[in-house]
Amino acid sequence: MESKKITNIEVKKKNRNEVFRYICKNGMVSNPDISYALKLSLPTATQITKELIERGLVEEKGEMGSTGGRRAKALAVHEKVGKAAGLDITKNHISMVLTGLEGKIIKYERIFLPYAAGDGYYLDVCQKLECFLESCGCGKEGVLGIGISFPGIMDLEEKVVADSHVLGVRDLPFSAVSRFFPFPCHFINDANAGAYAEGRQTESMGRFFYLSLSNTVGGAVYDNGRLEQGHNFRCGEVGHMTVVPDGEACYCGKKGCLDAYCSAKCLTEGRVEDFFGRLAQGEPEEASLWDQYTTYLAIAVNNIHMVLDCDVVLGGYVGSSMGAFIQDIQDKVSERNTFAEDASFIRACRHKTGAAALGASLQVIEMFMEQV
Ligand SMILES: [Zn+2]
């Protein structure tokens, strides 16, 4: 008997959760819409929305357009239910987003602000974030929380930024950062955040590897809404897999790591978009760099695919800007592939701007959704 009771509560929670997600996603809906879409009886759907209204999560907004017969009540997420902020910290910039519960970016901004250890930096970031939220017309009370993306190993058990080579940070407690912000803070690794943005908003993608090709190379395994973390929160750190024995020096101190061959810096010290512009014009220097770059990238992508047998999404600055040049990588991977499939499992990321900040904010939304 005991276990049946628990199951009933779980079923109710699951239904309530699905109804709330449905309303968030679809904007203005009616009880009959919910009943039909989620295969719930009309009385059950009505009971759940009544409960959500009582909890201040949903509100009535007049009536739906007439489709014959009695007009149904229009239901929407209550205006007072907040939005989520996302912050991506990189070596030289911060990116900020405000995201609605339906998962769409309301506003995005990127600011030049070099990372510096110490309170001054975080005070500055917090002030810039507050200005940003104000410019969105969103007060502090309208923010559910902030997702903060860091370029480093995030130990989610010990709650520390275990290691960020790029920022020169080791064992930085999350609390040493969150104390500057007047919101609940959630921390996430940058490649994980990029993968999360990609996965959450592409319903067809169950499982894939996200290869982040920015000034450093990282990666993440996304699996049906979850991110694989590994035993040491280093799952997907392919930037430090060896592609050339005793090859080029990597910033990590080892030799021959993928990062030394496939970071965005291997293509240009400037803007990656400009590099691809010159490549498109047939500049020989760019063509030679791209040929070398894609040779190593193809080794990595083929190896990743052999281990995981899933789609590989190319993200980061390079993945976002390569456009039709992805064909070059697909061709080289096809040549390597033992099983002679086509290389359509390789594709460029869909979220080109602010993917990490968006992914960080989406995690905040997901945490909020789970407790409804
Ligand atoms: Zn390395």
Side-chain angles (χ1 to χ4, degrees), residues 239-240 250 252 254 257:
H240 305 290
C250 177
C252 74
K254 307 285 179 198
C257 295

